[in-house]
Amino acid sequence: MLNVNDIRDNKEEYIRLLKIKNFDASSVFEILIRKDNDRKLLQQKNDELLFKANKLAKEIGALYKEGKKLEADELKAKSLILKKKTKELHFKKESLEKEIYEKLKDIPNIPHSSVTNGETEKDNIIIKESGKIPILVNNALTHWELASKYNLIDFELGNKITGSGFPVYIDKGAKLQRSLISYFLDKNINAGYKEFIPPHLVNEDSAFGTGQLPDKDDQMYHVKLDNLYLIPTAEVPITNLFRNQIIDQNSLPIKCTSFTPCFRREAGSYGKDVRGLNRLHQFDKVEIVQLQTPEKSYQTLDEMVNHVSNILDELDLPYRIVKLCGGDLSFTSSLTYDFEVYSAAQKRWLEVSSVSNFENYQSNRLKLRYKDKNGKKYLCHTLNGSALALPRIFAAILENYQTEKGIIVPKVLQSYMDLTIIN
RNA sequence: GGAGAGAUGGCAGAGUGGUCGAAUGCGGUGGUCUUGAAAACCAUUGUGCAGCAAUGUACCGGGGGUUCGAAUCCCUCUCUCUCCGCCA
């Protein structure tokens, strides 16, 4: 969520930048600034009245002690009038604040100045391509065919016990999955990230803090009886670890990593690119999260992008990094780089990571701040990315590493798998 | 699921109608002392909002109420803990 003071200070620039996200902010900003000015006036007036009322109350107390009951009763009458007025002002202010909030929550985050115009993913900019696309055997199989051929994943069993989008990993499939998780976590920990295993269900406050509520509640699984939500990503519990905190600047950046399953209803996306592991309701992901000062957050974003690149290099998968255009950028992000690996049998690029800087859009809502040497408080910048999402990496490994003899295990995974080929 | 207790500043913990934004201890920060450190001593140390500032105002789990005046009384919600039961 943006805050009004920033909007007031940077109005024209914000309007210009939000156009890149195809959001016309000019009239909303006018309304917001006007309402906020009204709010300030109300605050001043109300404080003044309360000041008087507080003073009267003290005087009344003193008079009672002196036994001057009559004079005290006179002041009481005065005080009652004041009290009535302050109550009125209080409610006015409250409703004004609510109106301001309602407007603010519908304004997307300001894109970074380097974000380009564009409507859809077609307008994204490929900033790096790496690795070479493998030449596959003649009748190369897709990952779902390979998964079934080598009995690595049973999609039918998942249908039986839950429904579509809930695969069952079996035997070497399960081990490959587990190896990838361990490998990713080890890489992240070596890069200075601290590992967390958070709860997989979160309360309303947490879902609100990272912005899934109030608007995206239909994308989360909801446990009604306890009013808890299954996490759609580790970002939710991990970022919320720091909700309502004031962090010492010296302890920034804070770097966290976490492996969790992710649960997504994916309402409305049925029937679209959903074969095999391409789109699931439950999938595993290793996430990285950083908290950083505004001055260094873009440096940190680059660092995170390099880190993810490094993992994909080691896995020897062909990938490209895409910088999202304004139209494709998410509501809450200022700048996002997507990582896509090439899945050679499907002949498709699959998104496996999305690394974003949210600047203070999340932290404003989370009340996540840091304190500098002089004790001044500022909102943190929050960043996160996948390092990495499992299913599509799994898919790409099966497809790209397939040979007539079986699926070669990528070098860096061999020690985890205790195996060099799946056949 | 049954019974009970509780929610106060970074933590611990006092405070049952005015002098309480809140004692005290621990912790943090700064200083004195010291060659340095420890100890000791002194000072300082919550957050939001409004204001250039002085300052004002709000906040003692959330919401509502009583009162001239509420951390303190009443109502309500939420959460936490303890014991019993069940169970990994």
Side-chain angles (χ1 to χ4, degrees):
Chain A
M1 207 160 65
L2 300 178
N3 59 65
V4 184
N5 284 336
D6 287 348
I7 291 174
R8 203 193 318 269
D9 294 344
N10 306 287
K11 195 175 92 184
E12 294 310 321
E13 194 196 353
Y14 280 11
I15 289 174
R16 183 175 60 78
L17 288 170
L18 279 172
K19 278 202 183 113
I20 298 172
K21 268 196 178 179
N22 304 318
F23 186 89
D24 180 9
S26 44
S27 66
V28 193
F29 279 6
E30 291 303 332
I31 296 170
L32 268 174
I33 292 171
R34 208 181 60 230
K35 281 190 192 293
D36 193 57
N37 289 342
D38 291 350
R39 194 201 103 246
K40 288 182 182 191
L41 281 176
L42 272 178
Q43 168 94 27
Q44 278 164 30
K45 244 188 236 168
N46 199 26
D47 281 2
E48 213 174 288
L49 292 183
L50 282 169
F51 176 50
K52 283 184 189 158
N54 286 343
K55 222 161 83 181
L56 275 181
K58 270 176 198 158
E59 282 168 24
I60 292 168
L63 286 173
Y64 267 120
K65 255 180 202 159
E66 292 168 31
K68 300 180 181 168
K69 193 164 176 305
L70 258 140
E71 289 161 57
D73 285 344
E74 240 171 79
L75 291 188
K76 265 195 201 179
K78 264 192 186 174
S79 181
L80 272 172
I81 296 168
L82 276 178
K83 182 94 196 246
K84 215 174 157 186
K85 272 193 201 161
T86 58
K87 212 163 221 177
E88 248 172 62
L89 289 181
H90 174 76
F91 285 124
K92 258 194 202 163
K93 203 182 94 183
E94 244 179 16
S95 73
L96 203 51
E97 277 167 354
K98 208 175 156 194
E99 286 172 39
I100 290 170
Y101 164 74
E102 288 298 326
K103 296 271 179 227
L104 277 178
K105 81 170 171 52
D106 291 333
I107 302 172
N109 197 4
I110 310 294
H112 186 256
S113 57
S114 74
V115 172
T116 50
N117 283 302
E119 299 296 320
T120 66
E121 56 186 77
K122 289 192 184 69
D123 303 313
N124 293 338
I125 296 170
I126 298 166
I127 61 163
K128 183 183 174 186
E129 284 191 69
S130 186
K132 55 176 188 296
I133 290 165
I135 299 148
L136 299 184
V137 291
N138 267 340
N139 33 24
L141 301 176
T142 59
H143 70 268
W144 54 89
E145 291 163 334
L146 290 161
S148 135
K149 178 176 174 186
Y150 296 108
N151 194 30
L152 303 175
I153 298 174
D154 195 322
F155 292 99
E156 302 307 313
L157 272 178
N159 288 344
K160 175 173 145 189
I161 59 171
T162 307
S164 75
F166 293 90
V168 176
Y169 297 79
I170 300 168
D171 193 25
K172 294 197 176 73
K175 191 152 187 192
L176 177 57
Q177 181 85 344
R178 190 154 49 84
S179 300
L180 280 165
I181 293 164
S182 294
Y183 165 66
F184 291 152
L185 280 172
D186 287 347
K187 286 294 288 181
N188 297 343
I189 290 164
N190 282 334
Y193 293 87
K194 187 190 273 189
E195 184 181 356
F196 290 82
I197 301 180
H200 298 168
L201 281 84
V202 295
N203 58 29
E204 255 180 286
D205 284 349
S206 299
F208 178 81
T210 30
Q212 278 72 26
L213 290 180
D215 294 325
K216 282 175 254 165
D217 58 328
D218 60 336
Q219 291 300 331
M220 284 187 294
Y221 289 97
H222 183 209
V223 182
K224 277 216 182 68
L225 214 49
D226 300 286
N227 196 24
L228 297 172
Y229 294 87
L230 275 74
I231 55 171
T233 159
E235 166 199 343
V236 179
I238 296 301
T239 314
N240 270 286
L241 294 173
F242 305 96
R243 173 154 46 97
N244 286 329
Q245 275 207 27
I246 300 176
I247 296 161
D248 225 48
Q249 184 173 349
N250 299 332
S251 36
L252 295 176
I254 289 177
K255 304 170 80 174
C256 308
T257 185
S258 181
F259 154 66
T260 67
C262 303
F263 302 91
R264 299 188 180 177
R265 295 191 61 241
E266 300 289 358
S269 65
Y270 294 101
K272 191 185 156 209
D273 305 331
V274 295
R275 288 216 70 177
L277 294 169
N278 290 346
R279 177 172 251 110
L280 301 170
H281 288 305
Q282 176 182 330
F283 65 96
D284 290 335
K285 182 157 64 67
V286 178
E287 185 79 356
I288 49 177
V289 172
Q290 288 211 43
L291 313 181
Q292 181 59 288
T293 61
E295 292 74 32
K296 294 188 189 154
S297 71
Y298 279 95
Q299 197 181 315
T300 293
L301 183 67
D302 290 342
E303 175 204 312
M304 290 167 79
V305 166
N306 286 337
H307 177 67
V308 174
S309 305
N310 176 252
I311 295 176
L312 289 171
D313 285 334
E314 280 196 7
L315 280 173
D316 206 9
L317 290 171
Y319 68 94
R320 62 185 190 190
I321 304 175
V322 169
K323 184 172 177 175
L324 299 195
C325 71
D328 204 25
L329 206 56
S330 80
F331 191 77
T332 52
S333 172
S334 286
L335 182 57
T336 296
Y337 294 101
D338 274 2
F339 282 75
E340 300 176 337
V341 299
Y342 192 75
S343 207
Q346 294 186 76
K347 300 192 171 77
R348 285 182 57 191
W349 292 96
L350 301 175
E351 184 190 328
V352 292
S353 177
S354 190
V355 184
S356 305
N357 188 353
F358 302 96
E359 299 202 359
N360 65 21
Y361 197 83
Q362 287 184 323
S363 59
N364 186 33
R365 192 177 267 204
L366 289 159
K367 295 203 188 85
L368 163 52
R369 286 160 293 171
Y370 71 93
K371 191 159 60 171
D372 71 11
K373 313 175 230 8
N374 305 316
K376 273 206 90 173
K377 288 166 279 291
Y378 307 90
L379 290 169
C380 286
H381 278 195
T382 61
L383 304 97
N384 67 49
S386 346
L388 284 149
L390 275 278
R392 293 170 185 167
I393 294 284
F394 194 110
I397 288 176
L398 296 198
E399 295 188 10
N400 295 15
Y401 279 89
Q402 63 180 304
T403 66
E404 271 154 5
K405 289 183 188 143
I407 295 158
I408 309 281
V409 176
K411 265 210 186 72
V412 285
L413 296 178
Q414 288 179 3
S415 62
Y416 291 94
M417 284 288 284
D418 218 2
L419 202 68
T420 56
I421 188 163
I422 296 169
N423 51 23

